[in-house]
Structures are given as structure tokens and as C-alpha cells.
Amino acid sequence: PRCASGRPENLTSVDQSAMPWHLESGALPPDRIGEVDTIIFLDVDGVLNVGARDISGSMPLLYNDVNVKASRNNWDNRIGHPNRILIEKLMALDKRQLSHGEDSTFSKFACQAPSHLSEVLVERFAAIISAAAGTAGAVATPASAPPSPSSAPSAALAPAAAAADGGAAAVERGLHKVAVILASSWRKPSHAARVQLLEDALSRHLGVPFAFAGRTRLQDDSLAPDRLVAIAHWVQCLCEDRKRLGVDGALRILVLEDFFITPFGKWSCGADHIENVADAEQYILRHGLAERPDMKLKIVHTYDQFTTRDDLLVQVGEGLTMRHFCQAMTFLGSKCPHCRQKQLSAEGSEAIASSALAAWSDGTMGTRMRSFSRSSSGSSEEVLAERHKHLPFSIQAWRLWRCLSSLWPWIAMAPPWVPWCKRRS
């Protein structure tokens, strides 16, 4: 199986009247233009799945369980095999260690045939949508969950049901501020069934019904610059409609693209030359009439390449790995799980160190250790709160002590001599 990206279809036979979106202008409905403050452009292949580029020019090879199993079975006999390069690329991905706190290889992102979607990556995209809507903490009952066949709920369950309904309403209100635009090859009519499966999967993760707000215009975009031009055209149409309707306010634009598994470098978009992500962002902003400080744009290029021990170049649309997921979440004012855990660990380390310094200084280490032991039985937030209650020194004082101890090492011996000075006095 291969990804949908690749050679374009014959668009002369496309029945555009059967499509539910306006394909030419790309504009949102007038009633939504004023309420949307975040636009997310989604490319599916290379973002919600993993694909390896084929040097023969064919469609990218999909990283799924069937292809991985076939590559493993043919690994010992790969010499002389007609698909030797593809076998070696898939096995290289299977052993490629991921970064940014992801203690795994690409194997965790493998699609389960016949699906072309990675469940892990779809879940991360749903988290991005929630962060854009400002409803990351909301609770909603999954839309796919059927109603209980039992009798009427008891009075004890009524508050929980009301909370779930309130969470779903909050999520739906937040999603009205976000428009997800399909910029992938999946926007073509032949992939309508796949798009429906993707919408169902996102609805399941979000807990409320989800549907794409639109798609970029249909065109023969088999090259990276073509995809960039299509996105810029959609943004330009939106900005023109906002100006015509007198819509003002901040607008965030997030682009999740691997650009046909293509690295940046000397792209030609008419008179513009694109050499890096910054150039691509400026290209979209210029053509979107977006020379305003309250309009921000971020491109997350889900592309990577590496060389194996046998000097085989592997170019991959690696999907929403934690590194790319972190870039998207940071742009939307949130944090990825890895960065959030690092922040909690740093705060906890500062608290423990400051508490230990204070305890050695006033001779109450035993009492504070017993207090810490009692507080450790609660949640992580309660433990941190309990630690902070026992901090007579501020974090600034602790940092000053570290600075002084680096200049005069004998200060680091404060625990033995501070109690001794108190006894002498």
C-alpha cells in the first residue's frame, strides 16, 4: 500500500457540483468568517501517517503493519530483491529512534491495514484542535458512544451527566472558533470515503461531531510549490472576505504539511523563491494581504531525512512526532506532554532543593522530611503545594546560594557549620 499523495488525478472528469465545499474561492461561509480566529491547514499523508519517499517517482510508501511485516520477512533475502531499497528504508524507519521525550521508534505510528491513518497521530491532531479551541481541559461524551439501554439514570448520576453535557457544549462552542481546512491530496473526490473515516476518528477523540470547514481548490499539485500556492490562495480569499465584511481581530494560521516529503530549498513560486520555512510563511502572509501584527502564521514541516549505515538516504514524512507536535502546541499557547513534564520536574527540583537548604539552615531537617513524607501521599499538585508551604527562602535566594557556593566552595559546607554556629551562639 502507498500513500494517496503522488500523481494527480485527471481533474477534467471531476464532478465539482457533488462537493459540499466552494472549491474556487476557498472562502468560509459568511456566518463563520467573523467567529473563526484559528485556521488549521491539514495535509494527511506525512502528518497523520508516516511515508517514505520512493526515488522512482511513485507515490510514497506507506509505513503500515503489512509493509513492515513484508520487509521483515524479506530482510535476509533483500540482496537482489527488486524492492531492496524500499525494504531497507522501511526497516530503517522501524529502528529509527525518535526524539523529544519519545522513547520509541516509528513503529508506534504504523497504520493498521487497511487504514491509512495512525491512531496515535490522529489523537495528537485532535489535541491540537482542542488547544486551538481553548477546550483542552473540557470533558465531553464521545459522539460515537451509544446511549445506555438501561432504565432512567438515578439522581446520583444526574450531576455527572450534566457535567458531561456541559463539557460537550463547551467543546462545540470552542470548535466554532476553529476552521480545519483540508489541503491534502485527500481533498480529491476519489478519497471521500477516507475523509469520512478521518472525520469519524476525530469526532471520537474530540467527543463531539467534527467536519472539515473547507478544502483548498482542486489543482494539479504534485509538487511542493503547488501545495504552497494553493494554501496561499485560500488565505488570500479569506482575507479579502474579512476585509469586505469588515471583520477585524486576531487570526492564527497553522499549516501542518510535509509538502510531498520535500525539503525546503530553491522552490519557485512565480517570482518568489522559497528556501526555508520562514520564506514560505512570508509568502503566505504576503499573498494573504496579512501585513498586520495581529495575524500570525506557523508552518510545521513534518519532514525529516537521514542516512543509514549503508549510505542510503531516507526521506520521510514523519507525521506529528512529539517534536512537531510541540511546535504546533507552542504556537497555540499550550505545551506538549514532554515539555509539561519537564516543567513540573524542574519546579519540583527547585522546591526540594530550597526546602533542604532551609532545613539545614534552621536545624529542622527531620521535621520537614516527615512533613514531606506525609505530603507525598497526595497528588503531584498537592505535593508541590505542601512543599511550597515550607519554603522560608525564595527561589531567588536558592539561586544566590548556588552562585556564592561556586565562588567560595566552603559555603557549600553550610549544613555542618550552620548548626555548629547556632550552638556556639
Side-chain angles (χ1 to χ4, degrees):
R2 294 179 181 266
C3 302
S5 304
R7 298 188 180 95
E9 301 174 356
N10 180 12
L11 300 181
T12 58
S13 60
V14 173
D15 181 13
Q16 297 190 8
S17 62
M19 306 302 294
W21 294 285
H22 195 288
L23 299 178
E24 292 302 324
S25 69
L28 293 172
D31 59 333
R32 290 208 63 192
I33 292 178
E35 63 182 5
V36 169
D37 61 12
T38 304
I39 306 292
I40 302 177
F41 289 95
L42 174 67
D43 176 21
V44 180
D45 291 325
V47 176
L48 301 186
N49 60 34
V50 178
R53 188 171 189 177
D54 187 355
I55 59 176
S56 66
S58 301
M59 293 182 293
L61 187 66
L62 181 65
Y63 183 78
N64 67 356
D65 55 345
V66 173
N67 288 338
V68 171
K69 182 178 180 180
S71 299
R72 289 173 180 169
N73 293 338
N74 290 282
W75 178 253
D76 293 335
N77 302 319
R78 67 186 184 281
I79 306 299
H81 196 284
N83 293 323
R84 174 184 176 179
I85 293 180
L86 297 181
I87 293 173
E88 292 182 350
K89 285 185 177 181
L90 285 176
M91 294 310 298
L93 288 177
D94 201 49
K95 300 176 182 178
R96 178 74 170 175
Q97 191 68 35
L98 299 172
S99 61
H100 202 72
E102 218 154 18
D103 188 19
S104 176
T105 66
F106 279 102
S107 57
K108 69 186 293 184
F109 300 144
C111 302
Q112 302 300 311
S115 174
H116 283 232
L117 297 170
S118 167
E119 194 65 24
V120 175
L121 300 181
V122 172
E123 183 177 4
R124 289 184 182 179
F125 181 60
I128 290 175
I129 297 176
S130 296
T135 59
V139 178
T141 303
S144 59
S148 175
S150 60
S151 59
S154 64
L157 297 180
D165 292 341
V171 172
E172 288 193 46
R173 286 194 302 269
L175 290 181
H176 279 295
K177 301 185 299 182
V178 181
V180 183
I181 307 303
L182 193 60
S184 169
S185 299
W186 286 36
R187 73 191 190 280
K188 299 173 182 177
S190 59
H191 299 303
R194 292 183 181 178
V195 173
Q196 184 62 55
L197 291 175
L198 174 55
E199 291 178 336
D200 292 343
L202 289 172
S203 299
R204 184 173 66 253
H205 287 292
L206 291 170
V208 295
F210 169 85
F212 287 100
R215 61 180 70 189
T216 56
R217 63 182 180 182
L218 289 177
Q219 61 182 35
D220 294 344
D221 56 349
S222 57
L223 300 176
D226 302 331
R227 179 65 55 81
L228 184 62
V229 169
I231 294 174
H233 174 267
W234 198 98
V235 173
Q236 180 179 0
C237 293
L238 175 64
C239 291
E240 290 175 350
D241 286 346
R242 281 167 61 95
K243 183 177 180 180
R244 178 174 51 84
L245 297 175
V247 175
D248 199 3
L251 182 65
R252 299 180 299 183
I253 302 175
L254 176 64
V255 180
L256 305 175
E257 268 280 0
D258 73 335
F259 292 106
F260 298 101
I261 317 182
T262 306
F264 281 102
K266 297 182 179 180
W267 296 2
S268 179
C269 298
D272 296 279
H273 297 283
I274 311 299
E275 296 186 358
N276 49 49
V277 173
D279 290 345
E281 292 173 347
Q282 289 301 314
Y283 175 82
I284 295 177
L285 290 175
R286 284 198 307 271
H287 286 71
L289 308 177
E291 298 177 358
R292 297 175 44 164
D294 59 351
M295 189 169 293
K296 300 179 180 179
L297 185 140
K298 174 68 177 178
I299 294 179
V300 179
H301 190 205
T302 60
Y303 168 88
D304 193 20
Q305 66 179 43
F306 60 92
T307 304
T308 66
R309 294 180 179 179
D310 298 328
D311 293 329
L312 175 65
L313 176 63
V314 181
Q315 295 175 298
V316 54
E318 58 181 355
L320 286 172
T321 61
M322 192 61 70
R323 176 168 62 97
H324 299 305
F325 180 60
C326 182
Q327 295 178 24
M329 295 294 280
T330 301
F331 174 73
L332 297 172
S334 186
K335 291 182 180 293
C336 71
H338 176 63
C339 292
R340 190 179 301 115
Q341 184 61 39
K342 284 178 61 177
Q343 181 181 6
L344 290 175
S345 300
E347 292 175 355
S349 299
E350 292 275 6
I352 293 173
S354 299
S355 182
L357 174 60
W360 279 116
S361 299
D362 58 19
T364 61
M365 173 61 79
T367 303
R368 291 172 184 252
M369 287 299 291
R370 288 191 293 273
S371 175
F372 172 74
S373 177
R374 288 194 299 270
S375 67
S376 298
S377 60
S379 64
S380 59
E381 292 79 6
E382 294 171 346
V383 171
L384 285 177
E386 185 68 21
R387 290 172 186 165
H388 281 283
K389 285 199 301 184
H390 296 284
L391 296 182
F393 289 99
S394 64
I395 298 301
Q396 288 77 11
W398 163 241
R399 289 172 177 167
L400 176 62
W401 182 86
R402 287 193 301 178
C403 180
L404 293 176
S405 63
S406 64
L407 295 176
W408 299 290
W410 56 269
I411 293 181
M413 299 177 63
W417 60 258
V418 168
W420 179 80
C421 290
K422 289 186 176 182
R423 290 195 301 270
R424 294 289 293 178
S425 61

